[in-house]
Amino acid sequence: MGLSDRDYARATPPNSPQRRAGVGRMRVLSVNTWIIIINVVVFLLGMAFVKYDTRTRRAEPIQWQVSAGNVYAADATNEQKKRGFVDHTRVLPISDMPGYFGYPILDPKSPIVDPRTSRPIVTLQGQPMVTQIGWERFVKMNPLDAIGHFSSGKALELQVWRFITFQFLHVNLSHLVFNMLGLWFVGGLVEEYLGRKRYLAFYLVSGLFGAFAYLMLNVLGYLAKQNLPTWLPHIPAPLLVQDIYTSLVGASAGVFGVLMAAAYIAPGAIVDVMFIVPMKLRWAVYIFLGVAVVNLFLGSANAGGEAAHVGGAIAGAFFIRRPHLLRDFFDFLGDSRKSRRLPQPQHTAVDKILAKISEQGLESLTPSERAILHRESEQSRDRSGS
């Protein structure tokens, strides 16, 4: 999706308010720029984790083993689970989870009996073979993905940093490029409207809410699957039935939040969807959101990602209308309202904007001018203690 301040956005006159709004522009080393840089650097670092195998004489990726929880057979009893032990001498792929492996969990007091002789089956070493009651599962990932990916299972293990770190990881180059293009085209506009600190809080909160949406729908889907009534043919959408250790990565939730904010700030800006179809920004964003909602309810292959998209979009639509709620996002480092020195208001710019309103009406203001008035209003509110 390309945005108008270039010659491919032909539907908007060069001097119109939408063209002056800063859509598609971004200050060098703005917060938005740093978010893009960090995402790209993290992606390149992930690719750099390789080792040279002297046996094959090839460079191979370094992968860490990441726990994916224990699963048990449906008929395994609580007593069996308590006394079960993990056989780390054997590892096998998990048939219904491609890329996942498991160590068998065995019950030492449940020998396997030969039905013909009713005698326990023994190994070549003369030890009785015992019943497998489950798996201790794991998956292999590069170190950054291992530390930073999000999953419902990891969240339930209180690994809370993953609500933030997953937002800077990507599956492949195309995943990274599409997300960063979204930030490149509209992130600068939203940062100009919110200010640097609030924009960072806005982006992170949108991604965080995307993870919460994924977590909620995944846990509810998992519980529904475990207790599915016999009369219910399948788990209703949009509950997610994938395993609770299925990983989630990507900046998409934060990007959807930023897109919703841009649609609110400059709804009439002309965009070229997929660089081809000219359309107002508001409708382009709503179409993207509609596709995500439909895919979520249809249970598409990327339903988990779509849940995060919808969660990020809802957060973006909410907080862009209530940006004062973002003020204290970073206050875990200290109360931002204590003895802080506020920047001097831009009296000259504000006076000019007020004069313009007097002459041409409120509708004549550009999003940039609205942003200046918005920031001045917020600063006045802070000074008054409200």
Side-chain angles (χ1 to χ4, degrees), residues 10-21:
R10 295 172 298 278
T12 306
N15 295 321
S16 70
Q18 290 87 354
R19 292 295 297 274
R20 296 197 299 270

Side-chain angles (χ1 to χ4, degrees), residues 1-4 8-9 185 270-276:
M1 181 175 70
L3 296 188
S4 61
Y8 55 71
F185 283 117
I270 301 300
V271 303
D272 284 348
V273 178
M274 304 305 293
F275 299 98
I276 299 174

Side-chain angles (χ1 to χ4, degrees), residues 291-302:
V291 170
V293 171
V294 169
N295 286 336
L296 175 60
F297 276 86
L298 291 180
S300 70
N302 189 36

